[in-house]
Amino acid sequence: MASQVNPPRGMRDFLPADKARREHALSVIRGVYRAHGFDEIETPVVEDYDRLHAGLGGDNEKLSFSILKRGIRPEQLAAAAERGDAEALADLGLRFDLTVPLSRFYASHRAELPPVFRSIQIAPVWRAERPQRGRYRQFVQADIDIIGEPGLLAEVELVTASSQALAELGLEGCVIRVNDRRILFGLLGHCGLSAADHDRALITIDKLDKIGAAGVVAELSEIDAVAAERVGEVLLGVEPLLAGDGIVLRREDVAAVLPTAEPDTDLAQGIDNLAALGAALADALPDGVAVRFDPTLVRGMGYYTGTIFEVAHPGSGSSVGGGGRYDGMIGRFLGQDVPAVGFSIGFERIVDLIQLPEGDGADAVVLVHDADVPLETLGALKRELVAGGHRVRLEKRQKNMKALLSRVAAEGWSRFAGVRADSATDPAALEFRALSD
């Protein structure tokens, strides 16, 4: 019986055309982020087990792949099995996102970094997901983060850099939905929900697009029926606005859909924050990208403390990016809070939405040679062409030349020339023809 030849479930192979599209997207993202003053770092693919399960990664901690300790003895296996404590056998794990490694990196290298550190991380991560379309066990994240800047400048830089990257990838119609955790907590408190119930309530509100305002009220009624009705009144007013062009990120538009906020409350601070952000971004975004206020945006990670983002695109049924401010996370390593905010482009989703530009990269030529052409001739021709900036492929002449030329054209090659045994070693003597002819 033949052995299994497919990759593990939730992981993928990429054919050359797929890989070329991915590398194009990575190049665009890196180029834009570097132009905006961010520096790329690299962290290990594994972190200590305890660090990955320190409460920093929210529900993703449950999806972490663990790595067994080396040299486990039989009695340790038996003891762990008896206790039902398999985690005791692991000391490392594959990273499930890039934020936890970044926090550890900053704590390790703070003395070597500038007071405000702008980082790029583009790398694979692993989660023990149930594989399905759009969800994989290995996937690439493309993150930028700003650490050490407490003001809105950090959010402005992240949104402008990310929106330009999306625009240069050709993703028209992107909408960056924005909210503030303080608005969420202030709204829940105003409606009468106790702080102890906020996390549970946010999980329910996050389902608004699936179960509607009535469904949210029904679930929240299990916590507090009166508070649920008050939350429902806000959501009923918001739902039709979100279904249209959304709520513009201006003070009057933000405040119009929220209860009156008392000064110095979470709700008031959140409104002030988003109003200032909207004013700063008013003329700073490229064509094809819009920013809108969404008071129902939750983002699942419990470590977010202020502004949160999520990117929607009409070609995707799921978000294609997101992030937010997480001022308390790095303090878990340093013992003192450090302001931080990040934005992640959903690489695996956006790469399926883009096309590789025609004529991308170097002039790509194919040398179709007879079987008796001396190796010295082929080597000299290829060397000269490569030195001249060309991308070169050698292909042996076939009986069915039409099939050969169709294949290499589909692979992105642009021109070809025939090489015979008596051909000169000077590329200028070759007769190149376009593969489209």
Side-chain angles (χ1 to χ4, degrees):
M1 181 180 294
S3 61
Q4 175 61 260
V5 295
N6 293 326
R9 290 188 67 230
M11 301 181 183
R12 298 166 294 163
D13 296 322
F14 296 106
L15 292 170
D18 300 321
K19 183 63 174 173
R21 189 169 67 253
R22 292 171 71 85
E23 290 301 318
H24 165 71
L26 290 171
S27 176
V28 170
I29 293 168
R30 277 194 173 97
V32 171
Y33 285 167
R34 286 188 59 81
H36 279 260
F38 292 79
D39 293 314
E40 190 160 7
I41 65 170
E42 184 173 328
T43 58
V45 302
V46 299
E47 293 283 349
D48 287 340
Y49 179 91
D50 290 341
R51 184 172 298 120
L52 292 172
H53 295 81
L56 303 178
D59 287 342
N60 287 333
E61 294 188 3
K62 302 173 185 176
L63 302 176
S64 172
F65 281 104
S66 298
I67 300 174
L68 293 178
K69 299 175 183 177
R70 295 183 62 189
I72 297 175
R73 299 187 303 276
E75 58 269 24
Q76 292 174 300
L77 283 172
E82 185 176 347
R83 297 193 307 267
D85 183 16
E87 290 78 9
L89 302 174
D91 59 352
L92 299 171
L94 292 173
R95 62 190 178 202
F96 50 73
D97 71 3
L98 298 177
T99 306
V100 173
L102 173 64
S103 299
R104 194 269 312 151
F105 172 93
Y106 183 82
S108 299
H109 300 283
R110 186 181 187 185
E112 306 159 68
L113 299 173
V116 177
F117 179 51
R118 296 167 174 84
S119 79
I120 306 169
Q121 278 194 102
I122 303 178
V125 299
W126 292 264
R127 295 179 189 168
E129 296 271 12
R130 178 174 295 174
Q132 55 187 291
R133 181 175 177 81
R135 286 190 178 274
Y136 307 105
R137 289 179 171 175
Q138 176 179 317
F139 56 97
V140 169
Q141 286 190 336
D143 289 10
I144 49 173
D145 294 79
I146 298 179
I147 301 175
E149 171 53 63
L152 268 178
L153 175 62
E155 280 91 333
V156 171
E157 287 198 75
L158 291 175
V159 172
T160 53
S162 298
S163 61
Q164 184 180 338
L166 294 169
E168 293 201 11
L169 286 167
L171 293 174
E172 297 183 356
C174 286
V175 176
I176 301 177
R177 300 159 57 213
V178 184
N179 199 6
D180 191 297
R181 279 276 176 151
R182 290 167 294 187
I183 288 178
L184 288 168
F185 293 135
L187 175 62
L188 294 178
H190 175 86
C191 292
L193 284 166
S194 67
D197 293 322
H198 284 182
D199 288 343
R200 181 180 171 189
L202 290 182
I203 292 172
T204 299
I205 292 174
D206 200 26
K207 303 175 186 176
L208 178 66
D209 60 335
K210 299 181 178 67
I211 63 177
V216 170
V217 171
E219 281 199 22
L220 291 180
S221 294
E222 298 175 8
I223 304 173
D224 185 319
V226 175
E229 289 297 329
R230 292 174 179 170
V231 172
E233 291 171 5
V234 175
L235 297 181
L236 286 171
V238 167
E239 264 192 313
L241 297 174
L242 298 180
D245 292 334
I247 305 169
V248 180
L249 198 61
R250 297 179 303 207
R251 177 177 295 277
E252 58 269 29
D253 298 285
V254 171
V257 296
L258 295 172
T260 302
E262 297 295 329
D264 299 324
T265 61
D266 283 346
L267 192 56
Q269 291 170 5
I271 293 172
D272 290 344
N273 181 61
L274 293 191
L277 180 61
L281 294 174
D283 299 313
L285 300 180
D287 292 341
V289 180
V291 174
R292 294 288 184 265
F293 170 53
D294 183 350
T296 69
L297 177 64
V298 172
R299 300 287 296 169
M301 296 301 191
Y303 54 65
Y304 289 128
T305 58
T307 319
I308 49 178
F309 322 98
E310 196 160 277
V311 186
H313 183 272
S316 176
S318 304
S319 67
V320 296
R325 181 166 283 279
Y326 54 98
D327 287 346
M329 180 182 286
I330 296 174
R332 299 282 292 273
F333 298 114
L334 283 178
Q336 62 184 85
D337 284 348
V338 178
V341 59
F343 201 118
S344 179
I345 287 179
F347 181 78
E348 305 297 347
R349 288 172 179 165
I350 64 102
V351 79
D352 290 335
L353 299 173
I354 67 170
Q355 297 296 323
L356 190 66
E358 293 184 10
D360 185 55
D363 181 34
V365 299
V366 178
L367 300 181
V368 182
H369 61 90
D370 291 342
D372 60 349
V373 176
L375 297 179
E376 294 82 355
T377 300
L378 293 175
L381 287 169
K382 187 172 184 179
R383 182 173 62 253
E384 291 297 320
L385 285 165
V386 170
H390 301 277
R391 182 171 180 240
V392 185
R393 165 76 61 81
L394 298 176
E395 289 278 356
K396 188 178 292 184
R397 190 181 301 275
Q398 300 176 2
K399 289 183 179 180
N400 188 347
M401 282 297 296
K402 183 177 180 180
L404 186 153
L405 297 180
S406 296
R407 172 174 60 80
V408 295
E411 293 172 354
W413 299 88
S414 55
R415 297 189 297 149
F416 77 100
V419 181
R420 301 191 178 279
D422 58 354
S423 294
T425 58
D426 181 3
L430 298 176
E431 182 182 350
F432 283 95
R433 295 171 56 188
L435 278 162
S436 57
D437 289 350

Short mmCIF file of all heavy atoms in Angstrom, two decimals, residues 60-61 117 176 220 265 284 295 351 360 369 408 422:
data_model
loop_
_atom_site.label_atom_id
_atom_site.label_comp_id
_atom_site.label_asym_id
_atom_site.label_seq_id
_atom_site.Cartn_x
_atom_site.Cartn_y
_atom_site.Cartn_z
N ASN A 60 -5.95 31.40 22.27
CA ASN A 60 -4.93 30.75 21.44
C ASN A 60 -4.01 29.84 22.26
O ASN A 60 -3.39 28.93 21.71
CB ASN A 60 -4.10 31.79 20.70
CG ASN A 60 -4.88 32.44 19.58
OD1 ASN A 60 -5.79 31.84 19.02
ND2 ASN A 60 -4.55 33.68 19.26
N GLU A 61 -3.92 30.10 23.55
CA GLU A 61 -3.08 29.24 24.39
C GLU A 61 -3.57 27.80 24.36
O GLU A 61 -2.78 26.85 24.46
CB GLU A 61 -3.05 29.76 25.83
CG GLU A 61 -2.37 31.12 25.96
CD GLU A 61 -2.17 31.53 27.40
OE1 GLU A 61 -2.52 30.74 28.31
OE2 GLU A 61 -1.68 32.65 27.64
N PHE A 117 10.34 51.73 19.95
CA PHE A 117 10.81 50.69 19.04
C PHE A 117 9.69 50.30 18.09
O PHE A 117 8.59 49.94 18.50
CB PHE A 117 11.25 49.47 19.84
CG PHE A 117 11.72 48.32 18.99
CD1 PHE A 117 12.66 48.51 18.00
CD2 PHE A 117 11.22 47.04 19.20
CE1 PHE A 117 13.10 47.46 17.21
CE2 PHE A 117 11.64 45.97 18.41
CZ PHE A 117 12.59 46.19 17.42
N ILE A 176 -11.21 49.67 7.56
CA ILE A 176 -10.59 49.41 8.85
C ILE A 176 -11.61 49.81 9.92
O ILE A 176 -11.89 51.01 10.10
CB ILE A 176 -9.28 50.19 9.02
CG1 ILE A 176 -8.29 49.81 7.92
CG2 ILE A 176 -8.67 49.90 10.40
CD1 ILE A 176 -6.99 50.60 7.96
N LEU A 220 -27.51 37.75 26.83
CA LEU A 220 -27.14 38.61 27.95
C LEU A 220 -28.19 38.56 29.06
O LEU A 220 -27.87 38.81 30.23
CB LEU A 220 -26.94 40.05 27.49
CG LEU A 220 -25.72 40.33 26.59
CD1 LEU A 220 -25.67 41.81 26.23
CD2 LEU A 220 -24.43 39.90 27.28
N THR A 265 -14.82 59.22 32.54
CA THR A 265 -15.19 57.81 32.59
C THR A 265 -14.52 57.07 31.43
O THR A 265 -13.99 57.69 30.50
CB THR A 265 -16.71 57.64 32.47
OG1 THR A 265 -17.14 58.19 31.21
CG2 THR A 265 -17.43 58.35 33.61
N ALA A 284 -5.04 61.16 5.70
CA ALA A 284 -3.78 60.41 5.71
C ALA A 284 -3.88 59.05 5.06
O ALA A 284 -2.87 58.35 4.97
CB ALA A 284 -3.30 60.24 7.16
N PRO A 295 -18.86 50.23 17.24
CA PRO A 295 -18.93 50.02 18.69
C PRO A 295 -19.14 48.58 19.11
O PRO A 295 -19.07 48.25 20.29
CB PRO A 295 -20.11 50.89 19.11
CG PRO A 295 -20.95 51.02 17.88
CD PRO A 295 -19.99 51.01 16.73
N VAL A 351 -3.37 37.03 0.54
CA VAL A 351 -2.61 36.50 -0.60
C VAL A 351 -3.54 35.80 -1.58
O VAL A 351 -3.24 35.70 -2.78
CB VAL A 351 -1.49 35.56 -0.10
CG1 VAL A 351 -2.02 34.18 0.25
CG2 VAL A 351 -0.37 35.46 -1.13
N ASP A 360 6.47 40.92 -13.63
CA ASP A 360 7.07 41.11 -12.32
C ASP A 360 8.50 40.57 -12.31
O ASP A 360 8.77 39.47 -12.74
CB ASP A 360 6.25 40.38 -11.25
CG ASP A 360 6.77 40.65 -9.84
OD1 ASP A 360 6.87 41.83 -9.49
OD2 ASP A 360 7.07 39.68 -9.14
N HIS A 369 17.02 24.02 -25.97
CA HIS A 369 18.24 23.51 -26.60
C HIS A 369 18.07 22.08 -27.11
O HIS A 369 17.28 21.28 -26.56
CB HIS A 369 19.41 23.56 -25.61
CG HIS A 369 19.21 22.72 -24.39
ND1 HIS A 369 19.59 21.40 -24.31
CD2 HIS A 369 18.64 23.02 -23.18
CE1 HIS A 369 19.28 20.92 -23.12
NE2 HIS A 369 18.70 21.88 -22.41
N VAL A 408 5.72 26.83 -20.11
CA VAL A 408 6.62 27.83 -19.55
C VAL A 408 5.99 29.22 -19.56
O VAL A 408 6.25 30.05 -18.68
CB VAL A 408 7.99 27.83 -20.26
CG1 VAL A 408 8.71 26.52 -20.02
CG2 VAL A 408 7.86 28.13 -21.75
N ASP A 422 25.58 24.16 -33.01
CA ASP A 422 26.54 25.09 -33.60
C ASP A 422 26.29 26.54 -33.17
O ASP A 422 26.84 27.48 -33.75
CB ASP A 422 26.50 25.01 -35.13
CG ASP A 422 25.10 25.29 -35.69
OD1 ASP A 422 24.15 25.43 -34.88
OD2 ASP A 422 24.96 25.36 -36.92
#
